């Protein structure tokens, strides 16, 4: 009798273990796929578009998707680094940092006028006496200069290297300007220049054009006095453990997006595939600045 009871208990344990295993698998399949997005514009400006993107991806991935706009660039990098998100919309600089820290993999980027490129601009008010980068350097001691987020490629990294090469900028605390500030976003920089709160500022060319087209700033009030070389557009990158099937679903979903509200949130007219090698020039710039190791 005792032997029969023991046998029965053993079978029951196996059955319960099997049930537990199935439940875990089912939970994994139904886990929310989380996406973190850097604040390319003020967070509130992006909410409706991100809600639509979330709904679209939930349908395409056949699982719950959550898209959240983070208040700063570094927060998205840390979220990926600590396995809090499955995918992220990074700036090129934050992408190479995330790739270095956590192995994030670029899979998609946006198209602007049919090309996956943009520039860093330095802009001034139309009434400014500054007409060129040479003017900016020559009169640096009279200038209040604005960068965007300190982790932004076009709003910080690339213009900082140019100004460093010109001998007028080393860091926020060491420079030849009257003052230096970090506004935190591209639209804040544009408004600071428009309202003449600063003399000049660095900004993403695509976002600047988008702000003008949307009437959020008055394009007649600006001058562009410097433009960088071409920069590869902002990547969407997945966690290093993302399976191939999910990556293919994500690529298909993004490549098919034609919703104007979603596209305009990124100043885009479509999406195209991207890979890590597209960001090698940004990686080299980050190495030059000591942001990542060689």
């Amino acid at each position: 009798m005792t032997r029969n009871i023991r046998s029965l208990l053993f079978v029951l344990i196996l059955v319960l273990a099997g049930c537990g295993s199935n439940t875990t698998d089912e939970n994994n399949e139904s886990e929310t796929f989380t996406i973190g997005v850097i604040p390319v514009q003020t967070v509130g400006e992006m909410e409706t578009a991100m809600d639509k993107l979330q709904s679209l991806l939930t349908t395409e991935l056949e699982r719950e998707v959550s898209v959240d706009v983070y208040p700063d660039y570094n927060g998205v990098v840390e979220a990926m680094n600590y396995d809090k998100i499955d995918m992220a919309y990074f700036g090129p600089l934050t992408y190479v940092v995330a790739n270095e820290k956590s192995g994030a993999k670029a899979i998609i980027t946006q198209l602007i006028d049919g090309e996956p490129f943009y520039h860093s601009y330095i802009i001034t008010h139309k009434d400014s006496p500054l007409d060129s980068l040479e003017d900016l350097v020559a009169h640096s001691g009279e200038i209040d200069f604005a960068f965007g987020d300190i982790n932004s490629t076009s709003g910080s990294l690339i213009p900082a290297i140019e100004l460093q090469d010109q001998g007028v900028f080393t860091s926020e605390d060491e420079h030849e300007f009257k003052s230096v500030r970090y506004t935190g976003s591209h639209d804040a920089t544009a408004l600071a220049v428009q309202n003449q709160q600063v003399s000049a500022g660095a900004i993403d060319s695509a976002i600047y054009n988008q702000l003008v087209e949307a009437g959020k700033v008055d394009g007649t009030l600006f001058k562009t006095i410097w433009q960088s070389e071409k920069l590869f557009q902002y990547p969407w990158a997945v966690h290093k453990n993302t399976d191939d099937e999910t990556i293919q679903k994500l690529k298909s979903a993004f490549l098919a997006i034609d919703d104007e509200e979603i596209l305009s949130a990124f100043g885009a007219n479509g999406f195209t595939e991207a890979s890590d090698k597209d960001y090698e020039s940004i990686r080299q710039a980050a190495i030059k600045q000591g942001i990542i190791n060689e």
Side-chain angles (χ1 to χ4, degrees), residues 40-41 186-188 190-191 203-204 206-219:
V40 289
Q41 296 183 51
H186 296 289
D187 54 343
L191 288 169
I203 193 169
D204 175 311
I207 294 174
Y208 168 75
N209 291 333
Q210 177 193 0
L211 292 169
V212 171
E213 289 168 10
K216 294 176 182 177
V217 296
D218 184 347

Side-chain angles (χ1 to χ4, degrees), residues 20-155:
S21 175
N22 289 337
T23 301
T24 302
D25 289 342
E26 288 170 7
N27 287 340
N28 285 338
E29 289 175 3
S30 62
E31 270 183 9
T32 300
F33 187 85
T34 54
I35 301 176
V37 176
I38 61 169
V40 289
Q41 296 183 51
T42 303
V43 174
E45 298 284 349
M46 300 180 70
E47 283 182 359
T48 303
M50 295 307 96
D51 287 345
K52 294 182 80 170
L53 178 62
Q54 179 175 290
S55 177
L56 182 152
L57 292 177
T58 293
T59 300
E60 295 301 318
L61 266 62
E62 299 178 299
R63 62 190 287 194
E64 194 67 31
V65 172
S66 174
V67 179
D68 293 307
V69 180
Y70 280 60
D72 59 63
Y73 285 48
N74 191 55
V76 184
V77 175
E78 291 305 304
M80 181 67 79
N81 191 35
Y82 288 100
D83 302 328
K84 301 298 184 185
I85 54 176
D86 301 298
M87 185 179 193
Y89 177 62
F90 290 118
L93 173 58
T94 41
Y95 166 68
V96 298
V97 172
N99 176 264
E100 171 83 3
K101 284 187 171 184
S102 62
K105 299 183 293 186
I107 63 167
I108 286 288
T109 192
Q110 60 217 37
L111 293 169
I112 308 295
D113 297 327
E115 292 196 349
F117 302 107
Y118 72 116
H119 301 273
S120 172
Y121 281 170
I122 291 178
I123 56 174
T124 65
H125 193 275
K126 74 173 182 64
D127 295 332
S128 168
L130 305 176
D131 290 315
S132 66
L133 184 64
E134 290 72 26
D135 289 343
L136 182 80
V137 171
H139 299 280
S140 58
E142 306 164 20
I143 291 167
D144 297 302
F145 193 86
F147 293 104
D149 188 292
I150 197 168
N151 294 302
S152 168
T153 307
S154 56

Side-chain angles (χ1 to χ4, degrees), residues 79-285:
M80 181 67 79
N81 191 35
Y82 288 100
D83 302 328
K84 301 298 184 185
I85 54 176
D86 301 298
M87 185 179 193
Y89 177 62
F90 290 118
L93 173 58
T94 41
Y95 166 68
V96 298
V97 172
N99 176 264
E100 171 83 3
K101 284 187 171 184
S102 62
K105 299 183 293 186
I107 63 167
I108 286 288
T109 192
Q110 60 217 37
L111 293 169
I112 308 295
D113 297 327
E115 292 196 349
F117 302 107
Y118 72 116
H119 301 273
S120 172
Y121 281 170
I122 291 178
I123 56 174
T124 65
H125 193 275
K126 74 173 182 64
D127 295 332
S128 168
L130 305 176
D131 290 315
S132 66
L133 184 64
E134 290 72 26
D135 289 343
L136 182 80
V137 171
H139 299 280
S140 58
E142 306 164 20
I143 291 167
D144 297 302
F145 193 86
F147 293 104
D149 188 292
I150 197 168
N151 294 302
S152 168
T153 307
S154 56
S156 180
L157 175 67
I158 299 302
I161 289 175
E162 179 62 34
L163 294 172
Q164 192 175 64
D165 291 345
Q166 296 291 334
V168 293
F169 179 80
T170 301
S171 69
E172 186 176 6
D173 300 318
E174 187 179 348
H175 55 80
E176 300 298 320
F177 293 111
K178 181 180 178 181
S179 71
V180 168
R181 72 174 70 174
Y182 287 86
T183 66
S185 67
H186 296 289
D187 54 343
T189 298
L191 288 169
V193 173
Q194 177 174 285
N195 297 330
Q196 297 182 282
Q197 297 168 331
V198 296
S199 315
I203 193 169
D204 175 311
S205 64
I207 294 174
Y208 168 75
N209 291 333
Q210 177 193 0
L211 292 169
V212 171
E213 289 168 10
K216 294 176 182 177
V217 296
D218 184 347
T220 66
L221 297 180
F222 295 91
K223 292 186 290 187
T224 300
I225 63 170
W226 176 78
Q227 175 180 298
S228 72
E229 297 295 322
K230 283 182 177 180
L231 306 171
F232 207 79
Q233 271 289 353
Y234 295 37
W236 294 82
V238 293
H239 189 279
K240 64 181 179 181
N241 294 334
T242 307
D243 62 274
D244 289 341
E245 182 181 356
T246 298
I247 289 173
Q248 289 308 314
K249 285 183 177 180
L250 286 165
K251 285 182 177 180
S252 296
F254 273 93
L255 294 175
I257 290 175
D258 58 7
D259 185 290
E260 286 300 323
E261 191 163 18
I262 295 174
L263 293 173
S264 66
F266 305 102
N269 56 16
F271 292 96
T272 190
E273 292 192 28
S275 66
D276 182 66
K277 69 180 186 333
D278 294 319
Y279 300 92
E280 187 56 32
S281 65
I282 303 301
R283 181 173 285 104
Q284 293 305 314

